[in-house]
Amino acid sequence: MHKISDNVYAETDFRGCNPGFVVTAEGVVMIDTPQMPQDALLWREEIARHGPVLYIINTEPHADHYTGNYFFEGTVVAHEGTREAIMASSAEQLKESIRLMDPESLSLVKDYHYRPPTITLSERLTLYSGNHTFHLIHMPGHTAYQIAVFIPEERVVFTADNVFYKIQAFLHQAIPDQWIESLKRLEEMEADVLVPGHGDLCDRSYLPEMRDFIQAWIDAVTGAIDRGMSLEEALEKVSLLDRYPVGAGMEAMAPMIQRMNVERVYQWLKSR
């Protein structure tokens, strides 16, 4: 676990996203929750040392960001689209995934149910807790429903999966041009530390590199289309695995990630 400041903590070694929390004078505000049940219980034990959980902010509609909500108290807050995704999720499918990934944790989800947000936003929402301010800002890119969480008093922003630090990004539900614009908006924030959705902590100096990587995907697939490649051909021939490794524990998924990225960018370009 990283102690970013006296009040801000983040974990970058869990399987799934990088969850974090902020200790305020009134209690704890969490940003995302651990994907794996055993990690969630460890995280809950750690957070309990700092106070009660007041809010859980889910930054996007992918399960690795909200599966752990079940294990925590606090009001859940997210984008309207993330609420829709959680409401459509299947607890039985989650249990099957846990059975395959971590069968020893299956007993922890015996009575599992998803906890959707009861407060939602479409563009912006501001939460106040103690002396801390939490600006929740809609920044579409990795998905249509991404939000960034900026805490100005700490000069920290949780970027969700709009930032993958030095590892392969998932573009399977991406809006690439909006992603690039959202990265530009993140650069304008007065933040010293960025907590990415995946990968190590970084700062704003990394954002141009992240933009270049999204643009590289656009250029690579555009080039394939210009050369007359069908989607099937592009799926076989286009890859950016030489740029970054995949996240730890996901090595076997590398070819699938590339194919998902190609398919999404190809279809997005064709629809414009």
Side-chain angles (χ1 to χ4, degrees):
M1 184 177 70
H2 298 274
K3 184 175 182 180
I4 297 171
S5 72
D6 287 343
N7 303 303
V8 183
Y9 300 80
E11 177 60 64
T12 59
D13 287 333
F14 286 159
R15 180 168 182 168
C17 78
N18 293 335
F21 64 91
V22 181
V23 182
T24 80
E26 295 178 353
V28 174
V29 177
M30 296 180 62
I31 297 90
D32 291 322
T33 54
Q35 177 182 18
M36 305 306 294
Q38 292 192 40
D39 290 337
L41 293 180
L42 288 171
W43 200 232
R44 186 172 71 185
E45 183 178 337
E46 174 61 35
I47 289 173
R49 299 189 179 101
H50 300 276
V53 176
L54 303 176
Y55 296 101
I56 299 170
I57 301 169
N58 293 141
T59 61
E60 63 154 86
H62 289 155
D64 59 317
H65 293 253
Y66 62 74
T67 296
N69 291 5
Y70 170 79
F71 297 97
F72 297 90
E73 300 294 328
T75 300
V76 182
V77 185
H79 192 277
E80 294 166 355
T82 295
R83 174 180 165 83
E84 292 175 5
I86 296 175
M87 294 294 289
S89 298
S90 165
E92 293 308 312
Q93 288 182 357
L94 171 70
K95 291 176 184 179
E96 178 61 18
S97 296
I98 296 297
R99 187 184 69 79
L100 295 172
M101 292 188 295
D102 187 13
E104 293 183 359
S105 293
L106 200 55
S107 63
L108 301 177
V109 293
K110 179 181 178 182
D111 300 316
Y112 185 90
H113 61 270
Y114 282 103
R115 289 191 64 212
T118 54
I119 297 175
T120 62
L121 67 143
S122 57
E123 291 301 324
R124 298 181 72 100
L125 185 150
T126 302
L127 296 176
Y128 299 93
S129 180
N131 296 321
H132 283 85
T133 310
F134 298 82
H135 294 294
L136 283 59
I137 307 165
H138 181 215
M139 291 195 174
H142 172 68
T143 72
Y145 309 121
Q146 301 298 117
I147 61 173
V149 182
F150 176 45
I151 305 105
E153 295 84 2
E154 302 289 346
R155 297 183 65 87
V156 173
V157 59
F158 288 79
T159 69
D161 286 9
N162 276 339
V163 178
F164 286 70
Y165 183 72
K166 300 286 187 180
I167 55 176
Q168 284 288 322
F170 284 63
L171 282 78
H172 60 302
Q173 293 182 339
I175 310 172
D177 56 340
Q178 293 186 34
W179 195 336
I180 289 172
E181 290 306 310
S182 290
L183 289 167
K184 291 177 181 178
R185 292 170 65 193
L186 285 169
E187 277 191 89
E188 296 170 358
M189 291 183 174
E190 295 184 359
D192 298 326
V193 179
L194 273 58
V195 181
H198 298 268
D200 291 334
L201 304 180
C202 57
D203 57 37
R204 285 180 290 171
S205 67
Y206 177 68
L207 295 174
E209 183 175 334
M210 186 72 213
R211 288 204 320 269
D212 287 347
F213 189 47
I214 304 306
Q215 187 63 52
W217 271 110
I218 297 172
D219 294 344
V221 179
T222 297
I225 292 172
D226 290 345
R227 293 192 296 276
M229 286 189 196
S230 66
L231 173 58
E232 291 71 23
E233 291 173 315
L235 288 171
E236 295 299 324
K237 296 181 180 180
V238 178
S239 173
L240 293 182
L241 276 175
D242 60 325
R243 293 283 292 266
Y244 299 112
V246 296
M250 304 183 69
E251 292 81 4
M253 295 177 62
M256 182 189 74
I257 294 168
Q258 299 303 288
R259 291 174 65 87
M260 289 193 310
N261 290 358
V262 171
E263 182 173 9
R264 174 59 180 172
V265 177
Y266 192 103
Q267 292 175 340
W268 172 75
L269 287 166
K270 283 291 191 178
S271 69
R272 300 180 73 190

